Each structure stands twice: as C-alpha cells, then as structure tokens.
Amino acid sequence: MSRDRLPPLSALRVFEAAARHESFKHAAEELFVTPGAVSQQIRLLEEHVGVELFVRDGRRVVLSDAGKASSIILKEAFEKMFEATRIMRQTQQKGRVTVSVAPSFAAKWLMPRLGDFSAANPDIDVWVSADMTPTDFAVSDIDLAIRYGTGSYNGLNVEHLLEEAVLPVCSPALFEAAPIRKPADLVHHTLLHDVSSDLDPSDPDWAMWLKAHGADEIDASRGPRFNQSHMVIEAAVAGRGVALAKRTIAEADLRAGRLRGLFNEKDAPISFGYHLVWPQTREPSMAQMRFMDWLRAQARDLGNAAAQPQDRPVFAAQGI
C-alpha cells in the first residue's frame, strides 16, 4: 500500500486506545472525546481498510482477529512515535532532568541534597515528580526514577542505589522526659505506625518488632497511623511518640539530633531497597548521566549501615 493510502492518524490513534481498553467509553475518556466520536472514527477506519476491527456484541465491543493482530503493532508504533517526539525535544531540554520518586524519599533524602547538585551543575534543572504510582516511561516525559522495591522491573535498566533498614526512634525531648531503656518501657509511650510498610512484607510492624524483642505483651495496635514514611518521622520529631523508622528516610534527622535511636539497636535490614531505573529504549543525555553519577556518589557517601556486616535481627517476608 502506498503512503498516501494510509488511514488518518486520528483514526488510528482512536483505534489503538479503543483496542487497548476494549471499550469505546474508556477510550473516549482517555482521549477527551465522546463515545460517539470514537465509534465514528472506528467506522471510518473500518471503511478505509475494508475489514471489521471490532465485533459488536450487544453493548460490548470485542476485537476481531484482524483488530487483535493490528492493535499490537499499532501500540508499538505509537510508543515509537512518542519516543521520536521526545528525542526531537531533547535538544531544547538537554539541560533538564525529570526524576520520579516516592514522596517520602523526595522530602527526606533527595530534596535536602538537591541544592548541592544545583550549585555544582547550574546548567541543569532537575524537575522532581513525587508520586507513588510507578512511571510508565513509554508515555511520559520522565527521564529516570528511583523506585522502592525488590529491583525486579522488566524492560528497564535497574541499578541498586541504597539498602533500607528499620530502627526504633524518638525525639530527644521525649526520651529525656521518660527514658526508654528497654523494649518493655514502650508500654508507657505512644506507638507511631508507618502503614506504608504494608507494601513491603519484610518491613516489620510494631507487633513483629515487639515479639522479636520479648515485649509482645504490649498492645501493638494502639497509636496513630500514617500512610507516608516521612509523616511518621515528622510525628516522632515532634515528640508525638516512638516510631519504627526507615533508616534512609530518618537519616537526616538522626544526624541533626532531632531523633535518636533507642536501645543501641542495630538496624534490621529489610528486603526492599531503592533502585535507580531508566528505560532500555532511551540513551541517557549528558545531563541525565551527570545527575545519575551524582546520585550514585550521594548513595556511597551515606554509608548505609545495612551494608555493613553486623549481628542483628533480620526480618524476612515469611516472618521474623
């Protein structure tokens, strides 16, 4: 078929969305048009190619064999077009790096350090997208991400950045007011709960920690709950209670003396860690490579305590 016989791009775009959702309604919502407009574009495309792409089944639409086969190729084609557009813009944006990170990591680890990078690299603007949703690099302008997890991310370059561990912490003022010398002393204190740890089965909650330290007679269910790790840290800094803190998130407050670790407790490493990821289909720009090198250096300088061999309790996904 000659190039001038290609169907209209708008119709192909509508078909790709409708095929991906297998729904005219959901395609319409994605493209900000009406379901009727989607139906019209599909009908025009079917007339152009002379083949039925969807089988109408009452109020449902199901891809035909031709629709299934062509939708896979079209999805890849649009991903390549998005990538081509990104490359076209890259020259104009060569001094910009957009990084996606979880809100707590952004607030407590990345942002306090970012001024140093900007001072050393005034020609690079770093845009931070703080979001819990994993980035879809195929359809976004995000250059790279720091993900908290196991490191198994298909289709991406993955580089381990930091380990994570937990330890009990409280504010110095709270400790001075009512010293906490042994785990059993926690019965007199409010327990602060990081419910974001539900995403990581190896991250101990208070019930697991108290049982491991022979204090399971304490009611581990009491106390406020927070769905972001940095909120738990801020509550502990404010003296609201005792938290099981992620070491990486609490590091700055521990070093500054706003928090103190309890019981001379050594960090308990957990399965999840922080990983630098970027798409395999993109060649990083010079700005991105400089930013990634800086992240690696910051991670090395932190000297994560979990990387050192110690005698300490290890919390596994199956239990303690």
Side-chain angles (χ1 to χ4, degrees):
M1 179 182 291
S2 63
R3 289 181 182 272
D4 61 354
R5 290 295 297 154
L6 282 174
L9 183 62
S10 58
L12 291 172
R13 182 71 183 94
V14 168
F15 169 67
E16 188 278 331
R20 182 161 27 88
H21 291 291
E22 288 201 68
S23 165
F24 287 6
K25 178 183 176 183
H26 292 158
E29 291 172 352
E30 177 183 319
L31 299 171
F32 300 103
V33 297
T34 65
V38 170
S39 181
Q40 183 181 22
Q41 288 291 318
I42 297 298
R43 186 165 56 253
L44 289 173
L45 181 59
E46 288 176 329
E47 291 175 357
H48 186 98
V49 298
V51 175
E52 190 176 51
L53 300 172
F54 285 95
V55 178
R56 279 70 173 177
D57 181 14
R59 302 183 65 177
R60 295 174 60 248
V61 291
V62 181
L63 283 166
S64 67
D65 290 342
K68 288 179 183 177
S70 58
S71 66
I72 295 171
I73 299 171
L74 266 181
K75 182 176 184 294
E76 295 175 353
F78 274 104
E79 288 177 353
K80 289 183 182 298
M81 282 191 280
F82 281 123
E83 175 63 8
T85 303
R86 190 194 68 81
I87 292 171
M88 291 174 189
R89 293 172 175 162
Q90 194 171 52
T91 300
Q92 197 173 35
Q93 299 175 350
K94 62 183 178 182
R96 190 185 85 186
V97 177
T98 305
V99 56
S100 172
V101 294
S104 291
F105 190 86
K108 304 298 287 185
W109 193 90
L110 182 59
M111 297 308 297
R113 293 168 165 81
L114 204 51
D116 293 339
F117 176 82
S118 297
N121 300 272
D123 57 323
I124 299 175
D125 290 328
V126 178
W127 292 15
V128 178
S129 175
D131 196 340
M132 294 296 292
T133 304
T135 299
D136 183 352
F137 288 101
V139 295
S140 77
D141 288 331
I142 301 294
D143 297 310
L144 55 98
I146 299 172
R147 289 188 180 174
Y148 179 65
T150 61
S152 298
Y153 306 115
N154 293 331
L156 298 176
N157 293 305
V158 181
E159 184 176 319
H160 182 265
L161 194 65
L162 287 165
E163 292 184 356
E164 188 55 284
V166 293
L167 75 164
V169 300
C170 72
S171 70
L174 181 66
F175 185 87
E176 293 300 325
I180 307 169
R181 306 294 185 189
K182 56 187 183 299
D185 293 339
L186 292 171
V187 71
H188 305 297
H189 292 271
T190 299
L191 302 179
L192 305 176
H193 299 265
D194 181 353
V195 295
S196 69
S197 64
D198 291 347
L199 300 173
D200 177 2
S202 75
D203 188 352
D205 58 18
W206 270 117
M208 294 167 63
W209 190 93
L210 289 168
K211 181 179 179 180
H213 291 77
D216 51 345
E217 73 281 357
I218 297 175
D219 181 5
S221 66
R222 58 189 173 84
R225 284 159 168 72
F226 304 87
N227 70 347
Q228 295 289 339
S229 297
H230 72 280
M231 295 168 64
V232 182
I233 300 301
E234 293 302 329
V237 169
R240 290 189 57 189
V242 181
L244 275 180
K246 290 184 173 72
R247 161 66 75 172
T248 300
I249 307 301
E251 185 69 31
D253 292 297
L254 288 165
R255 289 189 175 189
R258 293 185 291 268
L259 289 176
R260 62 171 294 165
L262 298 176
F263 319 121
N264 292 319
E265 177 81 1
K266 295 175 180 177
D267 298 353
I270 55 181
S271 297
F272 280 21
Y274 300 93
H275 301 84
L276 181 60
V277 302
W278 67 99
Q280 294 175 346
T281 55
R282 298 184 195 171
E283 189 69 26
S285 67
M286 288 301 298
Q288 292 165 34
M289 288 191 286
R290 282 161 60 186
F291 184 64
M292 289 192 288
D293 285 343
W294 176 80
L295 286 172
R296 296 176 185 114
Q298 292 296 308
R300 287 194 300 269
D301 291 346
L302 182 61
N304 195 305
Q308 303 299 322
Q310 302 178 50
D311 295 326
R312 56 195 175 187
V314 176
F315 295 84
Q318 292 78 17
I320 298 174

